Amino acid sequence: MTNTHTKQPHVVRHPIVVIMGHVDHGKTTLLDYIRKTNIVAREAGGITQHLGAYEINWNGKQITFLDTPGHATFSLMRERGAHVADLAILVVAADDGVKPQTKEALEAIKKAGIPFIVAINKIDKTSADIERVKGTLAEAEVLVEGWGGTVPCVPISAKSGEHVDELLNTVLLAAELEELTAELDVPAEGVILEAHLDSRRGPTATILVTNGTLTRGSFILCGETFAPVRIFESVNGEAIEKAGPSTPVRVAGFNEVPRVGTLMKTFESKAELEKDFKVVEALKRKKEVAKAGEVGILVKADVIGSLEALEAEFKKIIPEGLEVTIFDGGVGEIGEADVKLISAAKRAIIIGFHTKVKSNILELAERLKVEVKLFNIIYEAIDWTKERFDELRPRKIMRVPTGKMIVLKVFKSNSHGRVVGGRVREGRVPKDAQFEVLRGDEVVARGHIKGLQKNKAEAEELVEGNEGGLLVEVSRAIEERDVLQFFYEREA
Ligand code: GDP
């Protein structure tokens, strides 16, 4: 739906800023200072909640600050296609310089392709050395103003607030150069910045609206979670009716806690949301089917009662060693969706009870190697399934030794195989047995008997002490003095 709208006039939107840098260089202190001095907020009893984002007003202009996400989270959001930040502030401590996480942050900023401003922090400290920090920045290929580069750089103290105003002015100036715009009259797009299970309000999230306008009364889908836009607030806790681009908002009442970094889609009605959610659900189930064990079986029936009865019975007859996952196909006729869904399983079966299937669906099933069986009598369905499970059960092959023969003579091989003569040392040699060729203690070949002779006549078997001739097929040449160890293979 977002692709079909006619081009809307773009409006200027305010910047979204992320603060990054090495641990302990002062990111949190800086954000706290900015919030405390600029938010016209009713802070809940002074408790600092981590909401994922804050909005501030500076000289009559708005700036949205993201709550210092880890660099990994920031990169993850970007990989998902979320354009979360327009600008970064890279905090570098004046008494420390560029550190490993400073480099990580630079990497993330570079990948995001956004401009950044360096804030050299802690200049109130006696050990602060601004010029040395600029030097370490140059080594990291960050050339700040005055050092042959164009990267804005503001020395500050997040603790005392010194020059933080200048930093904010620089942010606004840089944002202006970016000419940030967005559309207003389109369904809102956004990204989940923070989400948690609120003890009072259930699954709650902070969402950054990145484009369009989110309005009360609409519905949102974020990955596999959704919510009505009803408990709808600004990040300062005030109920709102709508929120435009670059605005962080809070929405409570999700069906589940959404994942940070997932993108948001908006719908005007619940019916529209549900249409889309069905697709999401179907995809989720498909993943589950693909994860199913050996056999995936989908049950479809005329009424819920039969469906549940069949599922319960099928569970009871799963043989040991066979992994069977039973899927509830619901009631109704077997359709394309059922076939496609279950076809993701390694062995796919659909059992229909008092239901129908169209011939084109059967053709599809055949192509996708899905077995479809229809029944009208419950015990017949169970019997058939039980048999099928038994056939599909992985077999254990057991070897039953029968006897040993020493090879006395090897004749020339012909097109039918190789003829060897020997004497049975122990047990018996039945004419349909298989054998291994032992040379010393080592098994050197495997084969099976194709013909057996005793006293130059066809015979059924040789027993201990007998001499006879065997026509064999063998994987490698047999030599005189080899021992043939005969056996049968049996299913356990
Ligand atoms: P973060 O890990 O980057 O979020 O760093 P914090 O904001 O937690 O700061 C780490 C430590 O540095 C804390 O003890 C702060 O009080 C201190 N700090 C932060 N900014 C300043 C500053 O401008 N001057 C001084 N003297 N200390 C600061």
Side-chain angles (χ1 to χ4, degrees):
M1 61 196 271
T2 43
N3 298 329
T4 53
H5 68 259
T6 46
K7 267 260 168 272
Q8 295 290 326
H10 284 59
V11 294
V12 174
R13 60 178 180 84
H14 61 267
I16 304 159
V17 180
V18 60
I19 302 177
M20 300 179 104
H22 194 71
V23 64
D24 278 346
H25 279 196
K27 300 180 291 292
T28 315
T29 310
L30 174 61
L31 188 57
D32 283 350
Y33 181 86
I34 293 171
R35 288 176 60 205
K36 281 195 195 103
T37 46
N38 298 288
I39 286 182
V40 262
R42 330 171 279 161
E43 196 82 44
I47 304 163
T48 314
Q49 280 176 297
H50 282 271
L51 299 176
Y54 310 95
E55 264 194 304
I56 69 144
N57 207 306
W58 177 251
N59 288 343
K61 295 212 167 122
Q62 275 178 306
I63 305 173
T64 295
F65 277 93
L66 300 184
D67 192 1
T68 65
H71 302 158
T73 314
F74 181 74
S75 297
L76 179 86
M77 287 190 196
R78 202 190 48 77
E79 272 160 30
R80 294 208 176 125
H83 177 88
V84 277
D86 303 305
L87 271 173
I89 295 175
L90 180 68
V91 176
V92 187
D95 59 345
D96 209 12
V98 171
K99 290 281 147 185
Q101 284 163 4
T102 318
K103 288 185 182 157
E104 245 178 65
L106 276 167
E107 202 55 39
I109 290 166
K110 205 162 130 194
K111 278 192 187 152
I114 55 174
F116 66 102
I117 296 160
V118 174
I120 299 181
N121 189 32
K122 308 195 188 184
I123 55 164
D124 56 293
K125 284 185 127 182
T126 47
S127 51
D129 186 344
I130 296 171
E131 287 310 299
R132 198 189 70 84
V133 172
K134 287 180 178 174
T136 63
L137 280 163
E139 281 164 27
E141 291 170 26
V142 176
L143 296 177
V144 299
E145 288 166 344
W147 269 69
T150 53
V151 179
C153 176
V154 186
I156 60 160
S157 168
K159 206 172 191 174
S160 70
E162 198 185 347
H163 300 322
V164 172
D165 52 353
E166 195 188 325
L167 178 67
L168 293 176
N169 287 338
T170 311
V171 165
L172 286 177
L173 207 67
E176 248 168 61
L177 291 176
E178 289 301 297
E179 295 180 344
L180 305 166
T181 59
E183 296 154 299
L184 276 185
D185 295 326
V186 294
E189 291 162 36
V191 58
I192 303 280
L193 292 178
E194 187 278 342
H196 68 278
L197 186 63
D198 188 282
S199 56
R200 276 186 309 117
R201 313 205 292 181
T204 303
T206 302
I207 303 161
L208 179 67
V209 177
T210 52
N211 196 32
T213 303
L214 186 63
T215 49
R216 178 180 293 275
S218 60
F219 293 81
I220 53 177
L221 179 64
C222 307
E224 289 164 5
T225 63
F226 56 85
V229 183
R230 195 181 312 130
I231 306 173
F232 185 35
E233 299 170 348
S234 73
V235 282
N236 299 330
E238 295 136 348
I240 51 175
E241 288 303 313
K242 58 183 185 178
S246 296
T247 316
V249 296
R250 295 247 276 164
V251 174
F254 278 87
N255 61 329
E256 280 172 59
V257 178
R259 274 203 219 148
V260 169
T262 38
L263 303 184
M264 175 191 78
K265 271 172 99 175
T266 318
F267 303 87
E268 270 171 27
S269 69
K270 192 164 186 202
E272 245 186 275
L273 163 80
E274 277 168 354
K275 255 192 261 157
D276 224 77
F277 187 64
K278 263 195 188 156
V279 178
V280 173
E281 284 264 275
L283 285 174
K284 197 166 145 192
R285 284 194 84 196
K286 193 151 195 161
K287 270 191 240 156
E288 278 166 23
V289 176
K291 268 194 273 167
E294 234 71 51
V295 182
I297 179 162
L298 184 136
V299 191
K300 195 108 192 179
D302 55 343
V303 291
I304 287 278
S306 316
L307 189 71
E308 285 174 351
L310 277 169
E311 285 171 358
E313 288 303 318
F314 287 165
K315 271 194 195 123
K316 288 188 212 155
I317 57 171
I318 297 172
E320 213 180 303
L322 185 69
E323 268 186 77
V324 178
T325 315
I326 300 168
F327 292 89
D328 186 337
V331 295
E333 197 174 309
I334 296 167
E336 188 180 329
D338 300 315
V339 173
K340 285 192 171 158
L341 170 71
I342 202 71
S343 70
K346 269 185 230 142
R347 299 296 301 240
I349 302 171
I350 295 178
I351 298 288
F353 188 73
H354 276 292
T355 181
K356 288 182 293 192
V357 58
K358 292 204 172 71
S359 63
N360 61 326
I361 301 297
L362 271 181
E363 277 162 28
L364 176 74
E366 201 170 322
R367 251 189 296 131
L368 298 179
K369 298 194 168 55
V370 175
E371 199 171 358
V372 179
K373 287 296 271 187
L374 299 178
F375 297 95
N376 290 318
I377 301 171
I378 241 179
Y379 72 80
E380 283 181 2
I382 295 162
D383 282 355
W384 181 88
T385 308
K386 194 172 179 189
E387 239 173 69
R388 201 75 191 86
F389 281 173
D390 204 52
E391 283 162 25
L392 294 170
R393 182 169 60 92
R395 312 272 149 178
K396 261 202 215 122
I397 304 294
M398 237 175 57
R399 220 176 240 206
V400 187
T402 64
K404 280 183 184 164
M405 174 191 251
I406 178 143
V407 177
L408 301 174
K409 186 107 183 103
V410 179
F411 300 94
K412 265 195 213 140
S413 59
N414 60 26
S415 57
H416 302 293
R418 187 177 294 268
V419 178
V420 296
R423 187 188 317 119
V424 181
R425 262 199 187 163
E426 61 178 72
R428 30 183 219 101
V429 178
K431 75 166 188 198
D432 52 356
Q434 301 187 55
F435 61 85
E436 277 177 349
V437 183
L438 294 170
R439 194 164 297 158
D441 291 333
E442 212 187 325
V443 175
V444 294
R446 239 190 112 152
H448 64 270
I449 303 175
K450 292 176 81 185
L452 186 149
Q453 284 193 338
K454 188 173 150 186
N455 301 327
K456 298 213 156 67
E458 295 293 324
E460 287 303 306
E461 68 170 10
L462 299 171
V463 296
E464 194 174 325
N466 286 165
E467 282 192 9
L470 303 179
L471 173 66
V472 297
E473 202 167 281
V474 68
S475 58
R476 217 174 113 184
I478 296 175
E479 291 174 9
E480 284 170 18
R481 311 309 301 169
D482 281 349
V483 172
L484 307 185
Q485 159 80 62
F486 294 89
F487 60 88
Y488 280 129
E489 274 184 347
R490 289 253 181 284
E491 272 171 18

